[in-house]
Amino acid sequence: MQMLNAELAMKEAVDSKSTPEKQVEYLVHIDIDELFYTGENSVIPHFTWLRDQGIDHMTYANHEGVPEAESIRNYFTEVSLFRKNHLTLGIHPRTREAMSFWTKRTRHHQYLLFYDNGKSSVRVSANATPASVHGWFISPPRQTSSSSSSSLGATTTTTTTTKPSP
């Protein structure tokens, strides 16, 4: 169902290019329990930077929120502790030790409980199709990039933090 939603969102965005007030330049697939965070008051500077760099597809590392209480009413305001994506951490022995604390707490020894392959933004184009809800195929392939971004998740409070240098 999510793949279909991504596909339909792209079709609608491509079709809206002829209506200036409805134009969309980039799509980001996030769930209702996620937050896309760039550190700015708006995402416009980030996507302007992507466009100016000629980047059509950007993958953002997701971080996962850790609820500090059993009952959370609003995970966007009540969760402040996050497991950073392992791909954004150094390989220091103390980092490995800290990650081990989390992996020992689960049956399958995973560090993040839900997913660790990030989320992606894609420039609106009739040549873009979802590869999954985490990435896109672009034909013909052009420049792509990856970054650290923030997306908050409800039950998980999944964070994907984005901040490439402008």
Side-chain angles (χ1 to χ4, degrees), residues 12-156:
E12 192 169 314
V14 167
D15 292 347
S16 75
K17 284 195 171 206
S18 60
T19 313
E21 65 275 2
K22 289 187 174 184
Q23 282 187 357
V24 175
E25 194 164 2
Y26 283 87
L27 292 179
V28 179
H29 182 282
I30 58 174
D31 298 330
I32 193 169
D33 63 348
E34 296 177 322
L35 172 70
F36 185 81
Y37 178 74
T38 65
E40 303 288 332
N41 290 331
S42 168
V43 297
I44 293 172
H46 172 70
F47 290 110
T48 299
W49 182 82
L50 290 181
R51 183 197 62 217
D52 293 348
Q53 299 300 309
I55 298 172
D56 294 329
H57 182 250
M58 172 76 82
T59 299
Y60 307 92
N62 60 294
H63 306 301
E64 191 170 88
V66 181
E68 298 173 66
E70 282 191 38
S71 178
I72 301 286
R73 296 184 85 143
N74 184 336
Y75 38 83
F76 293 113
T77 60
E78 295 177 48
V79 174
S80 60
L81 178 63
F82 293 89
R83 280 186 289 261
K84 287 188 168 186
N85 188 293
H86 63 280
L87 298 175
T88 66
L89 301 174
I91 309 176
H92 191 276
R94 294 205 48 175
T95 303
R96 289 183 185 267
E97 182 183 326
M99 289 178 66
S100 177
F101 168 80
W102 295 104
T103 60
K104 288 177 182 175
R105 296 177 65 155
T106 64
R107 178 184 301 165
H108 299 292
H109 303 287
Q110 71 259 41
Y111 172 63
L112 295 180
L113 298 180
F114 290 85
Y115 66 92
D116 60 7
N117 54 339
K119 291 286 181 123
S120 294
S121 65
V122 64
R123 191 175 209 158
V124 171
S125 165
N127 297 326
T129 56
S132 72
V133 296
H134 302 279
W136 295 79
F137 291 120
I138 301 173
S139 169
R142 289 184 27 148
Q143 182 176 0
T144 63
S145 189
S146 63
S147 172
S148 176
S149 170
S150 235
S151 147
L152 262 187
T155 13
T156 358

